[in-house]
Amino acid sequence: MNNMNWLAVYPEVALLLMASAIAMLDLFVKDPARRPTYWLTQLTLAVVAGVHWVYFQDGQTVYAMQGMVVSDPMGHLLAFCACVATIVTLVYARPYAASRELLKGELFSLTLFSLLGICVMLSANNFLVIYLGLELMSLSLYALVALRRDHLLSTEAAMKYFVLGALASGFLLYGLSMMYGATGSLSIPQVFDVISIGVPNKSVLIFGTVFVVAGLGFKLGAAPFHMWVPDVYQGSPTGVTLLIAAAPKLAAFAITVRLLVEGMMGLAVDWQQMLIVLALTSLFVGNFVAIAQTNLKRMLAYSTIAQMGFMLLGLASGVVNDNTLSAANAYSSAMYYVIVYVMTTLGTFGMILLLSRQGHEAEEISDLAGLAKRSPWYATVMTIFMLSLAGVPPTAGFYAKFSILQALIGTHVMGYTALAVVAVAVSLIGAYYYLRVIKVMFFDEPTDRAPLSAPTDVRMVMSLNGAAVLIFGILPGGLMALCASAIVKTLAT
């Protein structure tokens, strides 16, 4: 049993050791392209991803470190996706970083430390472990945003991210401390048991839940806790923006499920209403404000806010009528949605990285003008990503939105059907700014007619990324089944 406990935390231990080793190794690397450091980082990520996939296929739930860590299917599937997302991010970001003197050991070691924080959050079974993982991820990302020390916007973005991130952590920590005070435990299963049997100080629990949901809203980038998202997305080096926009969303989803579903299900009536408010506010703020944006990174930031609103609708619909099958369907739909969002986000920011060149940041929508004339293939791939974000068939984004709407309507509650109608209406309005990007690519005249060139690995990964978004839209059953299996096995323990 002790051996099994050690195996449960093997991926995190491997990441910790390799992140430290790569930081030390880079001191002796003389190659300006940092090839040894880069490939060792990618090899580490591939091995850790493989281990998580094997553990996921095993399907067992194992507890380690006196029950503070849990090794379960949901955590392993999301950790596998986070590792793959980080691999893809580094492939896209490497040429960009090399042209801006950002290809340093710090980029790789801090990326691994941020992924370690994500993996710790994914396997957390205790309030302290969640907070430890959250801070490890956040501090690494703060440093990565400020990596371009001579750039005013990056420095400003790092300060905003640090201050607002600290505020978010304070909200979450205060809420968790109140939950501890009311239940007398930091263990998520024990908190669930105490809340289930009923406690006298219910008002303290509800007050603590408000702060927990607010902290989660910050980390998800949901309105009205979204104020850091546009500025940080725009001000960060684009490669770092992708690190912030992709894998951390998987961790934020996981700790939302861990805290609210696995720990505070007895308070579902209260946090469910909060999630609905956050979801609707995010849908309206994200979609309507994005229409006015001319900066592509800011537009995608507001798009992220709207996408998180849609995902929260799925989480909020999982406890209606206390139907176990309906709840599992809702949570698996939300999980599918966040994975598809990460997959599409990798492609959209990857295209921005590909278009950016020495001395020029392709951050404005106008920078995509005439892309179809310069490179019909890349314009087609970018069109797939935009259609997926808009929820147009046959892309993965369409099925992701459809599954969320299905979960809402499947509750057979009139209010939730109305929520589905509102979500569709607002998304239709929001589709305008995605279609505008497609129009600029195909119908505007290019300002630069030079053909696009990219390294072979970037071309291959970009093409595979676009193909994946299309394939998971045409054949969504496989990924949806994986998400459903992970959620059912995790919540059944």
Side-chain angles (χ1 to χ4, degrees):
M1 186 63 186
N2 289 334
N3 195 33
M4 283 292 289
N5 285 353
W6 182 86
L7 287 175
V9 296
Y10 166 73
E12 287 76 19
V13 172
L15 272 177
L16 174 62
L17 294 176
M18 289 308 299
S20 305
I22 286 169
M24 296 297 295
L25 174 66
D26 191 74
L27 297 174
F28 305 98
V29 173
K30 304 300 182 184
D31 182 7
R34 290 294 189 275
R35 277 182 283 263
T37 315
Y38 171 77
W39 287 112
L40 185 58
T41 301
Q42 293 289 47
L43 178 62
T44 301
L45 291 169
V47 170
V48 173
V51 171
H52 278 296
W53 181 253
V54 170
Y55 282 5
F56 169 71
Q57 291 292 334
D58 186 47
Q60 292 187 21
T61 297
V62 179
Y63 295 91
M65 299 177 69
Q66 290 76 48
M68 296 177 70
V69 171
V70 61
S71 168
D72 60 14
M74 183 186 78
H76 289 309
L77 181 58
L78 289 174
F80 169 78
C81 293
C83 291
V84 172
T86 307
I87 290 172
V88 173
T89 299
L90 289 178
V91 170
Y92 289 153
R94 188 186 179 196
Y96 174 92
S99 66
R100 286 156 178 81
E101 298 182 356
L102 296 177
L103 203 60
K104 307 171 184 176
E106 301 97 289
L107 175 65
F108 302 113
S109 57
L110 287 171
T111 297
L112 287 180
F113 277 121
S114 70
L115 180 63
L116 174 59
I118 289 168
C119 290
V120 169
M121 281 193 281
L122 293 174
S123 61
N125 199 41
N126 185 285
F127 290 164
L128 288 180
V129 179
I130 285 179
Y131 192 72
L132 179 68
L134 180 65
E135 287 304 290
L136 180 56
M137 179 195 76
S138 299
L139 290 171
S140 301
L141 292 177
Y142 300 154
L144 282 168
V145 174
L147 199 58
R148 202 172 175 183
R149 292 186 293 271
D150 58 344
H151 196 266
L152 182 62
L153 276 180
S154 294
T155 308
E156 181 185 347
M159 287 298 294
K160 288 179 179 176
Y161 194 21
F162 174 73
V163 172
L164 293 174
L167 181 64
S169 297
F171 268 71
L172 185 61
L173 190 60
Y174 186 57
L176 293 178
S177 67
M178 296 188 76
M179 300 303 296
Y180 169 67
T183 61
S185 177
L186 293 170
S187 171
I188 291 174
Q190 290 179 23
V191 168
F192 175 85
D193 292 338
V194 172
I195 293 175
S196 298
I197 62 175
V199 290
N201 45 0
K202 182 79 178 289
S203 57
V204 177
L205 282 175
I206 295 173
F207 200 55
T209 304
V210 171
F211 279 95
V212 168
V213 172
L216 294 173
F218 266 106
K219 294 306 175 184
L220 286 166
F225 307 108
H226 67 284
M227 61 285 293
W228 63 272
V229 180
D231 291 336
V232 172
Y233 274 38
Q234 182 183 4
S236 304
T238 308
V240 178
T241 303
L242 184 49
L243 281 171
I244 296 169
K249 293 296 185 289
L250 299 170
F253 167 82
I255 62 171
T256 302
V257 172
R258 298 279 190 218
L259 290 174
L260 300 185
V261 178
E262 294 186 349
M264 306 178 193
M265 183 60 86
L267 302 170
V269 175
D270 302 297
W271 59 254
Q272 179 188 33
Q273 297 172 32
M274 301 176 205
L275 292 189
I276 291 172
V277 172
L278 289 181
L280 289 176
T281 309
S282 299
L283 283 171
F284 279 96
V285 170
N287 282 312
F288 281 98
V289 179
I291 292 174
Q293 304 304 314
T294 58
N295 183 283
L296 186 56
K297 286 166 72 174
R298 285 188 79 87
M299 188 207 82
L300 290 172
Y302 283 105
S303 162
T304 296
I305 295 164
Q307 301 290 341
M308 290 300 102
F310 228 104
M311 188 272 292
L312 286 172
L313 283 178
L315 286 175
S317 64
V319 291
V320 178
N321 299 334
D322 199 25
N323 185 317
T324 305
L325 184 61
S326 171
N329 179 52
Y331 300 140
S332 59
S333 297
M335 186 174 175
Y336 179 87
Y337 194 99
V338 76
I339 291 173
V340 167
Y341 159 78
V342 168
M343 191 189 309
T344 311
T345 295
L346 287 168
T348 54
F349 281 100
M351 190 64 70
I352 296 174
L353 287 164
L354 189 150
L355 290 168
S356 299
R357 55 189 182 277
Q358 181 67 47
H360 175 72
E361 299 283 345
E363 294 185 356
E364 299 296 321
I365 295 175
S366 58
D367 290 324
L368 295 173
L371 181 60
K373 294 183 176 67
R374 297 176 61 195
S375 174
W377 175 246
Y378 287 134
T380 302
V381 172
M382 187 63 166
T383 299
I384 292 172
F385 296 141
M386 289 294 106
L387 292 178
S388 181
L389 288 172
V392 176
T395 60
F398 165 75
Y399 188 78
K401 282 185 167 59
F402 177 76
S403 64
I404 295 290
L405 296 173
Q406 199 174 37
L408 286 168
I409 296 170
T411 60
H412 303 296
V413 176
M414 184 60 69
Y416 280 79
T417 305
L419 280 177
V421 173
V422 171
V424 170
V426 177
S427 295
L428 285 174
I429 295 169
Y432 163 78
Y433 55 86
Y434 298 121
L435 297 178
R436 180 178 61 180
V437 173
I438 298 173
K439 174 260 179 189
V440 167
M441 289 192 298
F442 282 90
F443 297 105
D444 287 13
E445 286 300 316
T447 54
D448 182 359
R449 294 184 178 273
L452 275 178
S453 61
T456 304
D457 57 344
V458 175
R459 290 200 304 271
M460 288 179 59
V461 172
M462 181 66 71
S463 301
L464 289 172
N465 199 339
V469 171
L470 203 55
I471 290 168
F472 285 123
I474 299 170
L475 301 169
L479 181 57
M480 192 69 199
L482 291 177
C483 294
S485 171
I487 289 293
V488 170
K489 288 178 180 178
T490 297
L491 297 183
T493 55

